[in-house]
Amino acid sequence: MHLIDLKAYLSELAENNNRAWFVMNKPRYDILRAEFVQLVTSLITEIARFDPAIAGCDPKKALFRINRDMRFSQDKSPYKTTFSSSIVPNGRKKPSEGGGPAYYFQLDGNGRLFFACGEYMPPSDRLKAIRTHILNDSAGFQSVLADKKLKREFGTLQEEGKLQRPPKGFDASHALIEYIKLKNFMVWTEIQIDGWDSAQVQSTLINAFQSAQPLVQWLRAA
């Protein structure tokens, strides 16, 4: 994938986020999207080596649309300024659609690569299942948190949107109650990739995703 071209395109899109500009530059978008599909296809092949469940993921279903959902947003910009993908076994992106834990990454016009693993804002029934799984498999959960490769690559679970009080039905004195309060069960990081090529991006993502595989597997068991 030509990362320089992608960075330039997304940077220009951020400055000209309107339908007229997008239509005029549609040939550029089509080429870059096709290259992005190739990158995601290669990632799926490599991830499947350590996580066979991913082998059936359809790369085109794993891509997010460039169009923004503006129905409930004050920002009426019609297009996203990232290329992003969420890789899950069946290609669906939302836990409510059966997606479950995902390998996610995105590229933007500032030359940043953001990547994450786990579940972001799962629906209430799924969230309860994960919290209950912490109670039922506390040792397994703590083993995931202590994994050296995961900690080196990502640190610990992100605490964005954490509850102030324990969720209903969960003991406030439980040793893992601070994790049970989480609304997201994911790890993430962001790096600058100026001067990189697609092979470096792919290698970085594969190493990171393999490090997070214990978390993905634990969440699937919930």
Side-chain angles (χ1 to χ4, degrees):
M1 181 168 198
H2 296 86
L3 295 177
I4 294 176
D5 293 344
L6 177 62
K7 178 182 176 182
Y9 173 82
L10 291 173
S11 178
E12 291 173 40
L13 175 60
E15 295 176 1
N16 304 276
N17 203 324
N18 59 76
R19 177 169 171 74
W21 187 93
F22 185 82
V23 171
M24 257 176 82
N25 290 270
K26 185 67 160 49
R28 293 172 66 192
Y29 169 76
D30 290 339
I31 292 170
L32 291 166
R33 182 176 172 83
E35 292 179 350
F36 193 65
V37 170
Q38 291 179 346
L39 173 60
V40 173
T41 300
S42 296
L43 284 170
I44 290 169
T45 299
E46 293 301 315
I47 294 170
R49 296 181 189 278
F50 58 82
D51 188 352
I54 293 300
C57 179
D58 182 337
K60 291 185 178 180
K61 286 185 177 181
L63 268 59
F64 284 89
R65 297 171 68 242
I66 195 77
N67 301 78
R68 292 183 62 250
D69 184 351
M70 300 180 289
R71 291 174 299 172
F72 309 108
S73 175
Q74 293 184 346
D75 179 3
K76 297 304 178 183
S77 303
Y79 305 107
K80 299 171 186 172
T81 54
T82 60
F83 270 29
S84 55
S85 172
S86 183
I87 299 172
V88 295
N90 56 11
R92 297 179 183 274
K93 292 179 275 292
K94 296 180 180 179
S96 58
E97 297 176 343
Y103 302 98
Y104 174 87
F105 77 101
Q106 69 179 37
L107 295 157
D108 70 17
N110 294 312
R112 290 189 295 253
L113 171 65
F114 173 95
F115 47 100
C117 294
E119 296 191 41
Y120 177 72
M121 298 298 286
S124 57
D125 57 339
R126 176 67 184 153
L127 191 54
K128 184 176 181 180
I130 295 171
R131 289 166 171 166
T132 301
H133 192 40
I134 292 176
L135 299 182
N136 295 337
D137 185 29
S138 295
F141 182 69
Q142 289 176 297
S143 177
V144 169
L145 296 179
D147 187 274
K148 291 182 179 179
K149 290 183 179 179
L150 179 70
K151 291 175 69 175
R152 182 173 64 247
E153 195 71 49
F154 293 100
T156 189
L157 292 174
Q158 298 298 315
E159 298 193 2
E160 179 185 350
K162 184 176 180 180
L163 295 174
Q164 295 296 314
R165 297 179 180 179
K168 185 177 180 180
F170 291 86
D171 184 0
S173 64
H174 193 279
L176 298 173
I177 193 60
E178 293 306 312
Y179 292 104
I180 292 172
K181 289 180 183 178
L182 295 178
K183 291 184 180 180
N184 305 301
F185 288 85
M186 60 180 295
V187 291
W188 64 268
T189 193
E190 185 178 58
I191 56 177
Q192 199 72 28
I193 58 168
D194 294 320
W196 285 30
D197 59 25
S198 60
Q200 289 173 285
V201 169
Q202 181 168 323
S203 175
T204 297
L205 290 174
I206 291 301
N207 289 335
F209 291 162
Q210 188 165 12
S211 297
Q213 203 246 352
L215 173 63
V216 171
Q217 294 285 45
W218 185 89
L219 286 167
R220 280 190 193 143

PDB file of all heavy atoms in Angstrom, residues 171-206:
ATOM      1  N   ASP A 171     -20.398  -7.453  43.794  1.00  0.00           N
ATOM      2  CA  ASP A 171     -19.909  -7.138  45.129  1.00  0.00           C
ATOM      3  C   ASP A 171     -18.811  -6.061  45.066  1.00  0.00           C
ATOM      4  O   ASP A 171     -17.786  -6.252  44.407  1.00  0.00           O
ATOM      5  CB  ASP A 171     -19.355  -8.415  45.766  1.00  0.00           C
ATOM      6  CG  ASP A 171     -18.894  -8.224  47.199  1.00  0.00           C
ATOM      7  OD1 ASP A 171     -19.001  -7.088  47.711  1.00  0.00           O
ATOM      8  OD2 ASP A 171     -18.419  -9.202  47.802  1.00  0.00           O
ATOM      9  N   ALA A 172     -19.044  -4.967  45.763  1.00  0.00           N
ATOM     10  CA  ALA A 172     -18.090  -3.855  45.754  1.00  0.00           C
ATOM     11  C   ALA A 172     -16.746  -4.231  46.377  1.00  0.00           C
ATOM     12  O   ALA A 172     -15.735  -3.569  46.126  1.00  0.00           O
ATOM     13  CB  ALA A 172     -18.673  -2.656  46.498  1.00  0.00           C
ATOM     14  N   SER A 173     -16.731  -5.302  47.187  1.00  0.00           N
ATOM     15  CA  SER A 173     -15.499  -5.691  47.863  1.00  0.00           C
ATOM     16  C   SER A 173     -14.679  -6.711  47.066  1.00  0.00           C
ATOM     17  O   SER A 173     -13.612  -7.139  47.509  1.00  0.00           O
ATOM     18  CB  SER A 173     -15.815  -6.273  49.246  1.00  0.00           C
ATOM     19  OG  SER A 173     -16.564  -7.481  49.125  1.00  0.00           O
ATOM     20  N   HIS A 174     -15.164  -7.088  45.894  1.00  0.00           N
ATOM     21  CA  HIS A 174     -14.447  -8.076  45.100  1.00  0.00           C
ATOM     22  C   HIS A 174     -13.068  -7.532  44.713  1.00  0.00           C
ATOM     23  O   HIS A 174     -12.909  -6.348  44.403  1.00  0.00           O
ATOM     24  CB  HIS A 174     -15.231  -8.430  43.832  1.00  0.00           C
ATOM     25  CG  HIS A 174     -14.706  -9.644  43.128  1.00  0.00           C
ATOM     26  ND1 HIS A 174     -13.620  -9.598  42.283  1.00  0.00           N
ATOM     27  CD2 HIS A 174     -15.111 -10.938  43.154  1.00  0.00           C
ATOM     28  CE1 HIS A 174     -13.384 -10.802  41.804  1.00  0.00           C
ATOM     29  NE2 HIS A 174     -14.275 -11.638  42.322  1.00  0.00           N
ATOM     30  N   ALA A 175     -12.055  -8.398  44.749  1.00  0.00           N
ATOM     31  CA  ALA A 175     -10.678  -7.981  44.481  1.00  0.00           C
ATOM     32  C   ALA A 175     -10.501  -7.359  43.098  1.00  0.00           C
ATOM     33  O   ALA A 175      -9.609  -6.526  42.894  1.00  0.00           O
ATOM     34  CB  ALA A 175      -9.739  -9.179  44.624  1.00  0.00           C
ATOM     35  N   LEU A 176     -11.359  -7.730  42.141  1.00  0.00           N
ATOM     36  CA  LEU A 176     -11.235  -7.229  40.775  1.00  0.00           C
ATOM     37  C   LEU A 176     -12.342  -6.230  40.414  1.00  0.00           C
ATOM     38  O   LEU A 176     -12.627  -6.020  39.240  1.00  0.00           O
ATOM     39  CB  LEU A 176     -11.248  -8.404  39.783  1.00  0.00           C
ATOM     40  CG  LEU A 176     -10.094  -9.403  39.928  1.00  0.00           C
ATOM     41  CD1 LEU A 176     -10.306 -10.602  39.016  1.00  0.00           C
ATOM     42  CD2 LEU A 176      -8.754  -8.730  39.624  1.00  0.00           C
ATOM     43  N   ILE A 177     -12.939  -5.625  41.429  1.00  0.00           N
ATOM     44  CA  ILE A 177     -14.098  -4.755  41.183  1.00  0.00           C
ATOM     45  C   ILE A 177     -13.746  -3.573  40.280  1.00  0.00           C
ATOM     46  O   ILE A 177     -14.591  -3.100  39.499  1.00  0.00           O
ATOM     47  CB  ILE A 177     -14.702  -4.243  42.514  1.00  0.00           C
ATOM     48  CG1 ILE A 177     -16.080  -3.604  42.260  1.00  0.00           C
ATOM     49  CG2 ILE A 177     -13.746  -3.291  43.207  1.00  0.00           C
ATOM     50  CD1 ILE A 177     -17.105  -4.525  41.670  1.00  0.00           C
ATOM     51  N   GLU A 178     -12.505  -3.078  40.324  1.00  0.00           N
ATOM     52  CA  GLU A 178     -12.128  -1.944  39.470  1.00  0.00           C
ATOM     53  C   GLU A 178     -12.158  -2.326  37.988  1.00  0.00           C
ATOM     54  O   GLU A 178     -12.422  -1.484  37.131  1.00  0.00           O
ATOM     55  CB  GLU A 178     -10.750  -1.404  39.865  1.00  0.00           C
ATOM     56  CG  GLU A 178     -10.711  -0.744  41.245  1.00  0.00           C
ATOM     57  CD  GLU A 178     -11.762   0.354  41.400  1.00  0.00           C
ATOM     58  OE1 GLU A 178     -11.857   1.209  40.500  1.00  0.00           O
ATOM     59  OE2 GLU A 178     -12.488   0.348  42.414  1.00  0.00           O
ATOM     60  N   TYR A 179     -11.902  -3.579  37.704  1.00  0.00           N
ATOM     61  CA  TYR A 179     -12.002  -4.059  36.310  1.00  0.00           C
ATOM     62  C   TYR A 179     -13.460  -4.340  35.947  1.00  0.00           C
ATOM     63  O   TYR A 179     -13.866  -4.136  34.809  1.00  0.00           O
ATOM     64  CB  TYR A 179     -11.151  -5.312  36.120  1.00  0.00           C
ATOM     65  CG  TYR A 179      -9.668  -5.040  36.219  1.00  0.00           C
ATOM     66  CD1 TYR A 179      -8.951  -5.391  37.363  1.00  0.00           C
ATOM     67  CD2 TYR A 179      -8.989  -4.415  35.177  1.00  0.00           C
ATOM     68  CE1 TYR A 179      -7.590  -5.134  37.462  1.00  0.00           C
ATOM     69  CE2 TYR A 179      -7.632  -4.153  35.269  1.00  0.00           C
ATOM     70  CZ  TYR A 179      -6.936  -4.517  36.409  1.00  0.00           C
ATOM     71  OH  TYR A 179      -5.588  -4.255  36.506  1.00  0.00           O
ATOM     72  N   ILE A 180     -14.225  -4.795  36.919  1.00  0.00           N
ATOM     73  CA  ILE A 180     -15.645  -5.059  36.672  1.00  0.00           C
ATOM     74  C   ILE A 180     -16.383  -3.758  36.355  1.00  0.00           C
ATOM     75  O   ILE A 180     -17.382  -3.752  35.638  1.00  0.00           O
ATOM     76  CB  ILE A 180     -16.269  -5.770  37.899  1.00  0.00           C
ATOM     77  CG1 ILE A 180     -15.682  -7.192  38.033  1.00  0.00           C
ATOM     78  CG2 ILE A 180     -17.792  -5.836  37.797  1.00  0.00           C
ATOM     79  CD1 ILE A 180     -16.063  -7.908  39.304  1.00  0.00           C
ATOM     80  N   LYS A 181     -15.879  -2.629  36.834  1.00  0.00           N
ATOM     81  CA  LYS A 181     -16.488  -1.327  36.564  1.00  0.00           C
ATOM     82  C   LYS A 181     -16.263  -0.849  35.124  1.00  0.00           C
ATOM     83  O   LYS A 181     -16.917   0.089  34.671  1.00  0.00           O
ATOM     84  CB  LYS A 181     -15.909  -0.267  37.505  1.00  0.00           C
ATOM     85  CG  LYS A 181     -16.335  -0.388  38.963  1.00  0.00           C
ATOM     86  CD  LYS A 181     -15.668   0.740  39.739  1.00  0.00           C
ATOM     87  CE  LYS A 181     -15.951   0.676  41.229  1.00  0.00           C
ATOM     88  NZ  LYS A 181     -15.249   1.766  41.942  1.00  0.00           N
ATOM     89  N   LEU A 182     -15.342  -1.475  34.413  1.00  0.00           N
ATOM     90  CA  LEU A 182     -15.009  -1.014  33.062  1.00  0.00           C
ATOM     91  C   LEU A 182     -16.191  -1.165  32.108  1.00  0.00           C
ATOM     92  O   LEU A 182     -16.963  -2.107  32.202  1.00  0.00           O
ATOM     93  CB  LEU A 182     -13.812  -1.794  32.515  1.00  0.00           C
ATOM     94  CG  LEU A 182     -12.470  -1.616  33.231  1.00  0.00           C
ATOM     95  CD1 LEU A 182     -11.419  -2.502  32.594  1.00  0.00           C
ATOM     96  CD2 LEU A 182     -12.027  -0.156  33.192  1.00  0.00           C
ATOM     97  N   LYS A 183     -16.310  -0.246  31.172  1.00  0.00           N
ATOM     98  CA  LYS A 183     -17.319  -0.331  30.111  1.00  0.00           C
ATOM     99  C   LYS A 183     -16.707  -0.852  28.815  1.00  0.00           C
ATOM    100  O   LYS A 183     -17.425  -1.297  27.916  1.00  0.00           O
ATOM    101  CB  LYS A 183     -17.928   1.048  29.850  1.00  0.00           C
ATOM    102  CG  LYS A 183     -18.802   1.575  30.975  1.00  0.00           C
ATOM    103  CD  LYS A 183     -19.424   2.905  30.561  1.00  0.00           C
ATOM    104  CE  LYS A 183     -20.312   3.465  31.649  1.00  0.00           C
ATOM    105  NZ  LYS A 183     -20.913   4.772  31.236  1.00  0.00           N
ATOM    106  N   ASN A 184     -15.378  -0.751  28.706  1.00  0.00           N
ATOM    107  CA  ASN A 184     -14.644  -1.266  27.562  1.00  0.00           C
ATOM    108  C   ASN A 184     -13.620  -2.277  28.050  1.00  0.00           C
ATOM    109  O   ASN A 184     -13.039  -2.090  29.124  1.00  0.00           O
ATOM    110  CB  ASN A 184     -13.907  -0.143  26.825  1.00  0.00           C
ATOM    111  CG  ASN A 184     -14.823   0.978  26.406  1.00  0.00           C
ATOM    112  OD1 ASN A 184     -15.766   0.768  25.664  1.00  0.00           O
ATOM    113  ND2 ASN A 184     -14.556   2.185  26.891  1.00  0.00           N
ATOM    114  N   PHE A 185     -13.398  -3.301  27.267  1.00  0.00           N
ATOM    115  CA  PHE A 185     -12.380  -4.285  27.618  1.00  0.00           C
ATOM    116  C   PHE A 185     -11.420  -4.392  26.444  1.00  0.00           C
ATOM    117  O   PHE A 185     -11.521  -5.273  25.590  1.00  0.00           O
ATOM    118  CB  PHE A 185     -13.031  -5.628  27.972  1.00  0.00           C
ATOM    119  CG  PHE A 185     -13.739  -5.597  29.295  1.00  0.00           C
ATOM    120  CD1 PHE A 185     -15.043  -5.140  29.381  1.00  0.00           C
ATOM    121  CD2 PHE A 185     -13.083  -5.947  30.467  1.00  0.00           C
ATOM    122  CE1 PHE A 185     -15.698  -5.059  30.609  1.00  0.00           C
ATOM    123  CE2 PHE A 185     -13.729  -5.868  31.705  1.00  0.00           C
ATOM    124  CZ  PHE A 185     -15.039  -5.428  31.769  1.00  0.00           C
ATOM    125  N   MET A 186     -10.518  -3.412  26.409  1.00  0.00           N
ATOM    126  CA  MET A 186      -9.634  -3.326  25.273  1.00  0.00           C
ATOM    127  C   MET A 186      -8.290  -2.713  25.662  1.00  0.00           C
ATOM    128  O   MET A 186      -8.168  -2.029  26.682  1.00  0.00           O
ATOM    129  CB  MET A 186     -10.269  -2.474  24.161  1.00  0.00           C
ATOM    130  CG  MET A 186     -10.572  -1.055  24.584  1.00  0.00           C
ATOM    131  SD  MET A 186     -11.314  -0.067  23.259  1.00  0.00           S
ATOM    132  CE  MET A 186      -9.961  -0.012  22.097  1.00  0.00           C
ATOM    133  N   VAL A 187      -7.307  -2.995  24.829  1.00  0.00           N
ATOM    134  CA  VAL A 187      -5.995  -2.368  24.945  1.00  0.00           C
ATOM    135  C   VAL A 187      -5.740  -1.638  23.631  1.00  0.00           C
ATOM    136  O   VAL A 187      -6.215  -2.053  22.575  1.00  0.00           O
ATOM    137  CB  VAL A 187      -4.885  -3.403  25.196  1.00  0.00           C
ATOM    138  CG1 VAL A 187      -5.029  -4.012  26.587  1.00  0.00           C
ATOM    139  CG2 VAL A 187      -4.891  -4.513  24.139  1.00  0.00           C
ATOM    140  N   TRP A 188      -5.016  -0.518  23.687  1.00  0.00           N
ATOM    141  CA  TRP A 188      -4.731   0.199  22.452  1.00  0.00           C
ATOM    142  C   TRP A 188      -3.465   1.025  22.583  1.00  0.00           C
ATOM    143  O   TRP A 188      -3.007   1.316  23.682  1.00  0.00           O
ATOM    144  CB  TRP A 188      -5.890   1.104  22.038  1.00  0.00           C
ATOM    145  CG  TRP A 188      -6.216   2.229  22.982  1.00  0.00           C
ATOM    146  CD1 TRP A 188      -7.128   2.214  24.008  1.00  0.00           C
ATOM    147  CD2 TRP A 188      -5.633   3.541  22.989  1.00  0.00           C
ATOM    148  NE1 TRP A 188      -7.153   3.435  24.639  1.00  0.00           N
ATOM    149  CE2 TRP A 188      -6.251   4.272  24.038  1.00  0.00           C
ATOM    150  CE3 TRP A 188      -4.671   4.178  22.203  1.00  0.00           C
ATOM    151  CZ2 TRP A 188      -5.915   5.592  24.331  1.00  0.00           C
ATOM    152  CZ3 TRP A 188      -4.328   5.502  22.498  1.00  0.00           C
ATOM    153  CH2 TRP A 188      -4.959   6.186  23.548  1.00  0.00           C
ATOM    154  N   THR A 189      -2.930   1.393  21.443  1.00  0.00           N
ATOM    155  CA  THR A 189      -1.779   2.291  21.404  1.00  0.00           C
ATOM    156  C   THR A 189      -1.771   3.017  20.064  1.00  0.00           C
ATOM    157  O   THR A 189      -2.483   2.637  19.132  1.00  0.00           O
ATOM    158  CB  THR A 189      -0.456   1.531  21.633  1.00  0.00           C
ATOM    159  OG1 THR A 189       0.594   2.461  21.888  1.00  0.00           O
ATOM    160  CG2 THR A 189      -0.098   0.683  20.419  1.00  0.00           C
ATOM    161  N   GLU A 190      -0.964   4.055  19.966  1.00  0.00           N
ATOM    162  CA  GLU A 190      -0.878   4.869  18.752  1.00  0.00           C
ATOM    163  C   GLU A 190       0.572   5.249  18.517  1.00  0.00           C
ATOM    164  O   GLU A 190       1.275   5.619  19.455  1.00  0.00           O
ATOM    165  CB  GLU A 190      -1.746   6.117  18.909  1.00  0.00           C
ATOM    166  CG  GLU A 190      -1.834   6.983  17.675  1.00  0.00           C
ATOM    167  CD  GLU A 190      -2.745   8.191  17.891  1.00  0.00           C
ATOM    168  OE1 GLU A 190      -2.459   8.980  18.823  1.00  0.00           O
ATOM    169  OE2 GLU A 190      -3.736   8.331  17.156  1.00  0.00           O
ATOM    170  N   ILE A 191       1.027   5.152  17.276  1.00  0.00           N
ATOM    171  CA  ILE A 191       2.410   5.483  16.955  1.00  0.00           C
ATOM    172  C   ILE A 191       2.471   6.298  15.668  1.00  0.00           C
ATOM    173  O   ILE A 191       1.580   6.223  14.833  1.00  0.00           O
ATOM    174  CB  ILE A 191       3.295   4.227  16.820  1.00  0.00           C
ATOM    175  CG1 ILE A 191       2.716   3.265  15.777  1.00  0.00           C
ATOM    176  CG2 ILE A 191       3.465   3.533  18.154  1.00  0.00           C
ATOM    177  CD1 ILE A 191       3.577   2.036  15.541  1.00  0.00           C
ATOM    178  N   GLN A 192       3.539   7.071  15.520  1.00  0.00           N
ATOM    179  CA  GLN A 192       3.780   7.841  14.306  1.00  0.00           C
ATOM    180  C   GLN A 192       4.539   6.961  13.327  1.00  0.00           C
ATOM    181  O   GLN A 192       5.505   6.285  13.703  1.00  0.00           O
ATOM    182  CB  GLN A 192       4.591   9.093  14.646  1.00  0.00           C
ATOM    183  CG  GLN A 192       4.527  10.185  13.599  1.00  0.00           C
ATOM    184  CD  GLN A 192       3.165  10.887  13.548  1.00  0.00           C
ATOM    185  OE1 GLN A 192       2.459  10.951  14.549  1.00  0.00           O
ATOM    186  NE2 GLN A 192       2.810  11.393  12.374  1.00  0.00           N
ATOM    187  N   ILE A 193       4.122   6.951  12.072  1.00  0.00           N
ATOM    188  CA  ILE A 193       4.733   6.031  11.104  1.00  0.00           C
ATOM    189  C   ILE A 193       5.261   6.776   9.874  1.00  0.00           C
ATOM    190  O   ILE A 193       5.309   6.203   8.780  1.00  0.00           O
ATOM    191  CB  ILE A 193       3.742   4.932  10.675  1.00  0.00           C
ATOM    192  CG1 ILE A 193       2.474   5.545  10.069  1.00  0.00           C
ATOM    193  CG2 ILE A 193       3.402   4.022  11.852  1.00  0.00           C
ATOM    194  CD1 ILE A 193       1.602   4.512   9.362  1.00  0.00           C
ATOM    195  N   ASP A 194       5.667   8.020  10.028  1.00  0.00           N
ATOM    196  CA  ASP A 194       6.235   8.765   8.906  1.00  0.00           C
ATOM    197  C   ASP A 194       7.440   8.013   8.339  1.00  0.00           C
ATOM    198  O   ASP A 194       8.341   7.602   9.084  1.00  0.00           O
ATOM    199  CB  ASP A 194       6.671  10.161   9.353  1.00  0.00           C
ATOM    200  CG  ASP A 194       5.484  11.026   9.755  1.00  0.00           C
ATOM    201  OD1 ASP A 194       4.456  10.957   9.068  1.00  0.00           O
ATOM    202  OD2 ASP A 194       5.580  11.746  10.763  1.00  0.00           O
ATOM    203  N   GLY A 195       7.468   7.839   7.028  1.00  0.00           N
ATOM    204  CA  GLY A 195       8.586   7.168   6.380  1.00  0.00           C
ATOM    205  C   GLY A 195       8.466   5.654   6.330  1.00  0.00           C
ATOM    206  O   GLY A 195       9.324   4.984   5.762  1.00  0.00           O
ATOM    207  N   TRP A 196       7.416   5.107   6.917  1.00  0.00           N
ATOM    208  CA  TRP A 196       7.224   3.658   6.897  1.00  0.00           C
ATOM    209  C   TRP A 196       6.650   3.216   5.553  1.00  0.00           C
ATOM    210  O   TRP A 196       6.083   4.020   4.801  1.00  0.00           O
ATOM    211  CB  TRP A 196       6.242   3.241   7.985  1.00  0.00           C
ATOM    212  CG  TRP A 196       6.789   3.270   9.380  1.00  0.00           C
ATOM    213  CD1 TRP A 196       7.765   4.103   9.867  1.00  0.00           C
ATOM    214  CD2 TRP A 196       6.377   2.459  10.478  1.00  0.00           C
ATOM    215  NE1 TRP A 196       7.969   3.860  11.201  1.00  0.00           N
ATOM    216  CE2 TRP A 196       7.136   2.858  11.602  1.00  0.00           C
ATOM    217  CE3 TRP A 196       5.441   1.450  10.628  1.00  0.00           C
ATOM    218  CZ2 TRP A 196       6.992   2.264  12.846  1.00  0.00           C
ATOM    219  CZ3 TRP A 196       5.276   0.864  11.868  1.00  0.00           C
ATOM    220  CH2 TRP A 196       6.053   1.264  12.968  1.00  0.00           C
ATOM    221  N   ASP A 197       6.795   1.901   5.285  1.00  0.00           N
ATOM    222  CA  ASP A 197       6.090   1.306   4.158  1.00  0.00           C
ATOM    223  C   ASP A 197       5.055   0.327   4.699  1.00  0.00           C
ATOM    224  O   ASP A 197       4.984   0.083   5.914  1.00  0.00           O
ATOM    225  CB  ASP A 197       7.051   0.626   3.181  1.00  0.00           C
ATOM    226  CG  ASP A 197       7.890  -0.478   3.826  1.00  0.00           C
ATOM    227  OD1 ASP A 197       7.453  -1.053   4.853  1.00  0.00           O
ATOM    228  OD2 ASP A 197       8.973  -0.775   3.307  1.00  0.00           O
ATOM    229  N   SER A 198       4.247  -0.232   3.815  1.00  0.00           N
ATOM    230  CA  SER A 198       3.158  -1.101   4.265  1.00  0.00           C
ATOM    231  C   SER A 198       3.671  -2.366   4.940  1.00  0.00           C
ATOM    232  O   SER A 198       3.004  -2.915   5.822  1.00  0.00           O
ATOM    233  CB  SER A 198       2.244  -1.461   3.090  1.00  0.00           C
ATOM    234  OG  SER A 198       2.965  -2.131   2.078  1.00  0.00           O
ATOM    235  N   ALA A 199       4.859  -2.833   4.553  1.00  0.00           N
ATOM    236  CA  ALA A 199       5.425  -4.037   5.178  1.00  0.00           C
ATOM    237  C   ALA A 199       5.724  -3.784   6.651  1.00  0.00           C
ATOM    238  O   ALA A 199       5.501  -4.662   7.505  1.00  0.00           O
ATOM    239  CB  ALA A 199       6.698  -4.466   4.449  1.00  0.00           C
ATOM    240  N   GLN A 200       6.218  -2.574   6.970  1.00  0.00           N
ATOM    241  CA  GLN A 200       6.484  -2.236   8.375  1.00  0.00           C
ATOM    242  C   GLN A 200       5.189  -2.121   9.169  1.00  0.00           C
ATOM    243  O   GLN A 200       5.128  -2.544  10.330  1.00  0.00           O
ATOM    244  CB  GLN A 200       7.261  -0.921   8.444  1.00  0.00           C
ATOM    245  CG  GLN A 200       8.700  -1.015   7.975  1.00  0.00           C
ATOM    246  CD  GLN A 200       9.366   0.343   7.896  1.00  0.00           C
ATOM    247  OE1 GLN A 200       9.091   1.120   6.982  1.00  0.00           O
ATOM    248  NE2 GLN A 200      10.228   0.652   8.845  1.00  0.00           N
ATOM    249  N   VAL A 201       4.169  -1.555   8.545  1.00  0.00           N
ATOM    250  CA  VAL A 201       2.867  -1.457   9.209  1.00  0.00           C
ATOM    251  C   VAL A 201       2.326  -2.851   9.498  1.00  0.00           C
ATOM    252  O   VAL A 201       1.876  -3.144  10.614  1.00  0.00           O
ATOM    253  CB  VAL A 201       1.864  -0.662   8.344  1.00  0.00           C
ATOM    254  CG1 VAL A 201       0.439  -0.798   8.894  1.00  0.00           C
ATOM    255  CG2 VAL A 201       2.264   0.798   8.285  1.00  0.00           C
ATOM    256  N   GLN A 202       2.381  -3.715   8.496  1.00  0.00           N
ATOM    257  CA  GLN A 202       1.848  -5.065   8.673  1.00  0.00           C
ATOM    258  C   GLN A 202       2.608  -5.820   9.749  1.00  0.00           C
ATOM    259  O   GLN A 202       2.003  -6.483  10.604  1.00  0.00           O
ATOM    260  CB  GLN A 202       1.914  -5.831   7.351  1.00  0.00           C
ATOM    261  CG  GLN A 202       1.359  -7.249   7.455  1.00  0.00           C
ATOM    262  CD  GLN A 202       1.162  -7.903   6.098  1.00  0.00           C
ATOM    263  OE1 GLN A 202       0.768  -7.244   5.140  1.00  0.00           O
ATOM    264  NE2 GLN A 202       1.431  -9.194   6.014  1.00  0.00           N
ATOM    265  N   SER A 203       3.929  -5.728   9.741  1.00  0.00           N
ATOM    266  CA  SER A 203       4.743  -6.422  10.739  1.00  0.00           C
ATOM    267  C   SER A 203       4.433  -5.927  12.147  1.00  0.00           C
ATOM    268  O   SER A 203       4.294  -6.719  13.090  1.00  0.00           O
ATOM    269  CB  SER A 203       6.227  -6.207  10.426  1.00  0.00           C
ATOM    270  OG  SER A 203       7.038  -6.758  11.433  1.00  0.00           O
ATOM    271  N   THR A 204       4.290  -4.611  12.294  1.00  0.00           N
ATOM    272  CA  THR A 204       3.970  -4.027  13.605  1.00  0.00           C
ATOM    273  C   THR A 204       2.617  -4.502  14.106  1.00  0.00           C
ATOM    274  O   THR A 204       2.459  -4.872  15.277  1.00  0.00           O
ATOM    275  CB  THR A 204       3.977  -2.487  13.502  1.00  0.00           C
ATOM    276  OG1 THR A 204       5.290  -2.046  13.163  1.00  0.00           O
ATOM    277  CG2 THR A 204       3.552  -1.849  14.826  1.00  0.00           C
ATOM    278  N   LEU A 205       1.634  -4.514  13.217  1.00  0.00           N
ATOM    279  CA  LEU A 205       0.290  -4.935  13.605  1.00  0.00           C
ATOM    280  C   LEU A 205       0.254  -6.418  13.965  1.00  0.00           C
ATOM    281  O   LEU A 205      -0.375  -6.803  14.959  1.00  0.00           O
ATOM    282  CB  LEU A 205      -0.693  -4.645  12.478  1.00  0.00           C
ATOM    283  CG  LEU A 205      -1.001  -3.166  12.231  1.00  0.00           C
ATOM    284  CD1 LEU A 205      -1.877  -3.006  10.995  1.00  0.00           C
ATOM    285  CD2 LEU A 205      -1.676  -2.533  13.445  1.00  0.00           C
ATOM    286  N   ILE A 206       0.923  -7.243  13.194  1.00  0.00           N
ATOM    287  CA  ILE A 206       0.923  -8.685  13.473  1.00  0.00           C
ATOM    288  C   ILE A 206       1.540  -8.960  14.841  1.00  0.00           C
ATOM    289  O   ILE A 206       0.995  -9.738  15.647  1.00  0.00           O
ATOM    290  CB  ILE A 206       1.676  -9.453  12.375  1.00  0.00           C
ATOM    291  CG1 ILE A 206       0.886  -9.417  11.065  1.00  0.00           C
ATOM    292  CG2 ILE A 206       1.919 -10.906  12.786  1.00  0.00           C
ATOM    293  CD1 ILE A 206      -0.498 -10.010  11.152  1.00  0.00           C
TER     294      ILE A 206
END
